Amino acid sequence: MTATIKDVAREAKVSVASVSRALNGGGGVTPATAQRIREAAARLRYVPHSAARSLITRRTHTIGALLPDLHGEFFSELIRGIDLEARSHGLHLLVSSSHDGEEDAAAALRAMQGRVDGVVLLSSPHVDAAFLKANLPDGLPIVLLNSDVKNGADAVLNIDNFAGTYAMVRHLVDIGHQRIAFVGGPKDNYDARQREAGFRAAMAKFLPGEPVRVLAGDFGESSGYVAARELLAMKSRPQAVFAANDTMAVGCLQAFKEAGLAVPGDIAVAGFDDIPIARYVTPSLSTVRVRIAELGKNAMELLADLMDRPGLSAASVHTLGCDIVVRESCGAHRGGATITTTKKIRRTSNR
Amino acid sequence: MTATIKDVAREAKVSVASVSRALNGGGGVTPATAQRIREAAARLRYVPHSAARSLITRRTHTIGALLPDLHGEFFSELIRGIDLEARSHGLHLLVSSSHDGEEDAAAALRAMQGRVDGVVLLSSPHVDAAFLKANLPDGLPIVLLNSDVKNGADAVLNIDNFAGTYAMVRHLVDIGHQRIAFVGGPKDNYDARQREAGFRAAMAKFLPGEPVRVLAGDFGESSGYVAARELLAMKSRPQAVFAANDTMAVGCLQAFKEAGLAVPGDIAVAGFDDIPIARYVTPSLSTVRVRIAELGKNAMELLADLMDRPGLSAASVHTLGCDIVVRESCGAHRGGATITTTKKIRRTSNR
DNA sequence: AACTTCCATGAAAACGTTTACGTTCGCGCC
DNA sequence: GGCGCGAACGTAAACGTTTTCATGGAAGTT
């Protein structure tokens, strides 16, 4: 059916070994014969059988991306970043998305066994060190995204949630706000916890005397709405609300609109993520932007690095900075200024 | 390093053939020995080497998705739909996204050669019948998404753009609009052409005497803005604007807002796609929704079907219906009604 | 001119499966 | 009790590569 290396060898009147050498560039072949071989291969439309090659080289030239049940921009940008970088390394991308629950993720991870040379795994709450130990074939390079597992064995790449919230609080303080409330995210969510920690640290630093107001939320729009209504009922109403994600911030805007409050006139609002909607709501939402495609790209770079040097200890922690995007809702709109908290990736090897 | 079938055979004191038979369920093995073999395999954490298996079975159990440079919801929903369905067939998903230009797509398609058992390809303007003929290894099952190639050889699955616009026009007419203008998309875009055709057909049908007003657009927000300003300058201003996608509709809203026109009071607006932003703009945007995940799922089902029966002629054309989503901007808001134009997939075999 | 060195090339093993084909063995049938 | 027969199981070939090793010859060195 399709041409094999033997056909090319016959066509070029050499042995299969020479064909392999000529096509893989290993050297040990005369320029003249190499040329003849390439021509023969082209004539027969020969393309190496990747399974046969993998069988002996033990490399698939494929990396796997294991993602939880994600939607929209985050998903697409992440894949885009990973894919682009993977391609530039000559690697293919095997995607397994929409995993809900530990069982599901474990099955997907096992199914990738032997089909990939490395894995980028975006954590869900149940993906912890024990999970990895149980389901990860050892020796398989892996990069963990947004994970709090520190098992001293794997490479971890995180969004700098802490620095992002910290910088946003600093900005809010800079433009004159003092009574700042925070709407948190799910308790089992790593990002949410980090963001809250950043908020608390910044408050302690910039407004030491001020009481710290943290409301519960779950990243959903309605939880932002509910939190906003709680704020409205407070005796001394905050001057600004900082929601742990944009979706909740949109919920806040809705509640304030209904209550007849002007944003940012009566109360300022800020979010986190810079989802596409952020620039379309009225007033447009000030937020913290995560460069997601860059996150994917960096993860892939990290993974490629790990794959290059087998045996090397992978243990390291990296963080990717965020940008503060100033729009209308925080009360300091000056034409869409963007403040970068961290330009470059920061490596924190833990050994 | 990792256990092979030989190790399992030794452990269970049988031959490799029996191990293969027992694990693949082919029969010809005693329940007792099958059990012993399964235990041995589990004990050694044996997992079959997929490359070795592919080498001889000539199946990779992987399908490829080839996508142009997409963003956001469309991308993620499509992948989700494909992935979920693929998994239910026991297939893996190899993704190659962000292809710009013919060269790029061709390279990606060739690179998948031998790594996949089938392909789902979302067309870009330059992917036509000739492109496929040149770059598609023959015999490889493929499903074309949103494509106007009718080479009488491949399976094609399209969004029913025509029926979607048609139904929206009917709705606009139903609620009393007569002077309806349309903002088109890029000339080389298949969806855009279909949508415009649907608009013209509906106008001819429901408002035969009415002049057909079609303005140029390019799917970008600013082109919607520009088109809206043109509309404002017309002697007899239209009662409704129907943009070929939501992004342009948002541009229209912006222009009308600036001009001090009330939507839908002074002029109604409708879009196409139901992007997430559509429900957040004010007024919320009436639009035509494409069930993208379902599109991906259907494409995958179609492909699985093709892969099951090799040699079967694949030639067929399918269309997936859209939903009319009624929100505020069209002037007939009744609490978010949704009208389904076509519930089931429609098959149009062309032979 | 004899010897070494080096390099291009070929032969063959190895990778881990599946599967066609043989062999063995138990069992029923006449 | 011999015969055939089918089921269970083993042997070995095949899939298409890469890679090690051997071989030969040309070129270089003395």
Side-chain angles (χ1 to χ4, degrees):
Chain A
M1 196 62 174
T2 94
T4 80
I5 198 173
K6 281 185 187 169
D7 301 321
V8 178
R10 192 177 325 117
E11 177 86 5
K13 304 197 187 308
V14 292
S15 71
V16 293
S18 293
V19 176
S20 177
R21 280 187 286 253
L23 264 31
N24 296 334
V29 166
T30 293
T33 50
Q35 176 65 16
R36 205 172 68 231
I37 291 170
R38 273 194 300 271
E39 284 169 6
R43 216 173 310 136
L44 299 179
R45 291 166 161 271
Y46 167 69
V47 26
H49 193 291
S50 56
R53 178 179 282 178
S54 295
L55 179 56
I56 192 155
T57 60
R58 312 194 129 312
R59 302 211 120 222
T60 63
H61 292 285
T62 303
I63 69 115
L66 204 57
L67 308 174
D69 207 0
L70 290 174
H71 287 266
E73 212 69 20
F74 193 94
F75 180 91
S76 61
E77 286 300 295
L78 188 63
I79 295 282
R80 162 194 305 271
I82 295 176
D83 186 28
L84 251 44
E85 184 65 19
R87 215 175 319 157
S88 87
H89 287 267
L91 296 169
H92 294 256
L93 178 62
L94 198 65
V95 170
S96 192
S97 63
S98 307
H99 293 286
D100 238 4
E102 179 161 355
E103 205 47 52
D104 208 12
L109 193 49
R110 276 195 303 266
M112 282 189 174
Q113 175 77 280
R115 316 185 79 95
V116 298
D117 296 338
V119 170
V120 172
L121 188 151
L122 180 59
S123 300
S124 354
H126 49 266
V127 172
D128 52 16
F131 172 89
L132 288 176
K133 195 58 71 186
N135 297 296
L136 192 69
D138 48 40
L140 186 65
I142 188 169
V143 170
L144 269 28
L145 241 37
N146 260 35
S147 161
D148 55 353
V149 334
K150 292 189 194 66
N151 53 7
D154 296 313
V156 176
L157 175 54
N158 286 334
I159 291 172
D160 205 342
N161 291 294
F162 188 96
T165 33
Y166 193 93
M168 178 58 94
V169 172
R170 183 210 298 263
H171 171 73
L172 293 173
V173 172
D174 280 353
I175 60 181
H177 302 297
Q178 298 231 358
R179 296 191 304 281
I180 306 175
F182 187 79
V183 184
K187 290 298 168 221
D188 63 355
N189 184 288
Y190 178 65
D191 292 321
R193 289 201 305 270
Q194 293 263 305
R195 288 171 192 181
E196 185 172 328
F199 174 76
R200 290 179 185 276
M203 288 299 282
K205 171 77 175 184
F206 302 122
L207 301 167
E210 198 66 32
V212 177
R213 304 169 184 82
V214 173
L215 287 80
D218 64 4
F219 275 173
E221 186 174 339
S222 58
S223 80
Y225 181 91
V226 171
R229 296 201 59 92
E230 285 181 49
L231 288 174
L232 291 173
M234 284 183 176
K235 53 267 156 234
S236 89
R237 195 180 59 211
Q239 301 164 306
V241 198
F242 185 1
N245 77 349
D246 286 349
T247 308
M248 294 193 297
V250 169
C252 292
L253 289 179
Q254 182 67 19
F256 295 148
K257 185 179 179 185
E258 286 180 12
L261 256 68
V263 176
D266 297 325
I267 189 165
V269 173
F272 202 117
D273 284 345
D274 195 24
I275 60 180
I277 294 164
R279 59 156 53 80
Y280 288 98
V281 288
T282 27
S284 60
L285 187 64
S286 293
T287 186
V288 184
R289 175 189 299 156
V290 176
R291 297 181 301 267
I292 308 168
E294 192 174 334
L295 184 70
K297 175 182 153 76
N298 287 337
M300 184 59 234
E301 282 174 346
L302 207 49
L303 183 59
D305 215 41
L306 256 44
M307 286 163 44
D308 276 351
R309 347 194 207 301
L312 183 81
S313 165
S316 59
V317 177
H318 308 245
T319 49
L320 177 64
C322 315
D323 305 327
I324 305 297
V325 181
V326 180
R327 297 208 181 90
E328 297 164 357
S329 72
C330 69
H333 189 48
R334 296 188 196 83
T338 296
I339 305 166
T340 299
T341 65
T342 320
K343 261 207 164 353
K344 296 203 67 84
I345 198 166
R346 183 163 51 199
R347 173 171 177 138
T348 320
S349 180
N350 51 7
R351 61 178 50 201
Chain B
M1 197 58 177
T2 96
T4 81
I5 199 172
K6 283 185 187 168
D7 301 321
V8 178
R10 194 179 322 117
E11 178 86 4
K13 305 200 187 305
V14 291
S15 72
V16 293
S18 293
V19 176
S20 176
R21 279 188 287 251
L23 265 30
N24 296 334
V29 71
T30 292
T33 49
Q35 176 64 17
R36 205 172 66 229
I37 290 170
R38 273 193 299 271
E39 283 169 6
R43 214 173 312 136
L44 298 179
R45 293 166 161 272
Y46 167 69
V47 29
H49 193 291
S50 58
R53 179 178 282 179
S54 296
L55 178 56
I56 192 156
T57 61
R58 312 195 135 293
R59 300 212 121 223
T60 62
H61 292 284
T62 303
I63 68 114
L66 203 57
L67 309 172
D69 207 0
L70 290 174
H71 287 267
E73 213 68 19
F74 194 93
F75 180 92
S76 60
E77 287 300 296
L78 188 63
I79 295 281
R80 161 193 305 271
I82 297 176
D83 186 27
L84 252 44
E85 185 64 20
R87 217 176 318 158
S88 86
H89 286 268
L91 297 169
H92 295 256
L93 178 61
L94 198 64
V95 170
S96 193
S97 63
S98 307
H99 293 285
D100 239 6
E102 179 162 354
E103 206 46 54
D104 209 10
L109 193 50
R110 276 194 304 264
M112 282 189 175
Q113 173 78 279
R115 315 185 79 95
V116 298
D117 296 339
V119 170
V120 172
L121 189 151
L122 180 60
S123 300
S124 354
H126 48 268
V127 173
D128 52 16
F131 172 89
L132 289 175
K133 195 57 72 186
N135 297 294
L136 191 68
D138 47 41
L140 186 65
I142 188 169
V143 170
L144 269 27
L145 241 37
N146 259 34
S147 162
D148 56 351
V149 332
K150 291 189 195 66
N151 53 6
D154 296 312
V156 176
L157 175 55
N158 286 334
I159 291 171
D160 204 342
N161 291 295
F162 187 97
T165 31
Y166 193 92
M168 177 59 94
V169 172
R170 181 209 299 262
H171 171 73
L172 293 174
V173 171
D174 279 353
I175 60 181
H177 301 298
Q178 298 232 359
R179 294 192 306 280
I180 306 175
F182 186 80
V183 185
K187 291 298 168 221
D188 62 356
N189 184 288
Y190 178 65
D191 292 321
R193 288 201 307 269
Q194 292 265 304
R195 290 171 191 179
E196 186 171 328
F199 173 77
R200 290 181 186 275
M203 288 299 281
K205 171 77 175 182
F206 302 120
L207 300 167
E210 198 66 32
V212 176
R213 304 168 184 81
V214 173
L215 287 80
D218 63 5
F219 276 173
E221 186 174 340
S222 57
S223 79
Y225 181 90
V226 170
R229 296 201 60 91
E230 284 180 49
L231 289 175
L232 292 173
M234 285 182 175
K235 53 270 156 231
S236 87
R237 195 196 333 134
Q239 300 164 304
V241 198
F242 186 2
N245 77 349
D246 285 350
T247 308
M248 293 193 298
V250 169
C252 292
L253 288 179
Q254 182 67 20
F256 294 148
K257 186 179 179 184
E258 284 181 16
L261 257 67
V263 175
D266 297 326
I267 190 166
V269 174
F272 202 117
D273 284 344
D274 195 23
I275 60 179
I277 294 164
R279 62 156 49 81
Y280 289 98
V281 287
T282 25
S284 59
L285 187 66
S286 294
T287 185
V288 184
R289 177 189 299 156
V290 177
R291 299 182 301 267
I292 309 167
E294 193 175 334
L295 185 70
K297 175 181 154 77
N298 288 337
M300 185 58 234
E301 282 174 345
L302 206 50
L303 183 59
D305 214 42
L306 257 44
M307 285 163 43
D308 276 351
R309 346 193 207 300
L312 184 82
S313 166
S316 60
V317 177
H318 308 244
T319 49
L320 176 66
C322 315
D323 304 326
I324 304 298
V325 180
V326 180
R327 297 208 182 90
E328 298 163 356
S329 70
C330 67
H333 188 46
R334 297 188 196 86
T338 296
I339 305 166
T340 300
T341 66
T342 319
K343 265 207 164 343
K344 297 202 67 82
I345 197 166
R346 183 164 50 199
R347 173 171 178 138
T348 320
S349 179
N350 50 8
R351 63 177 47 203

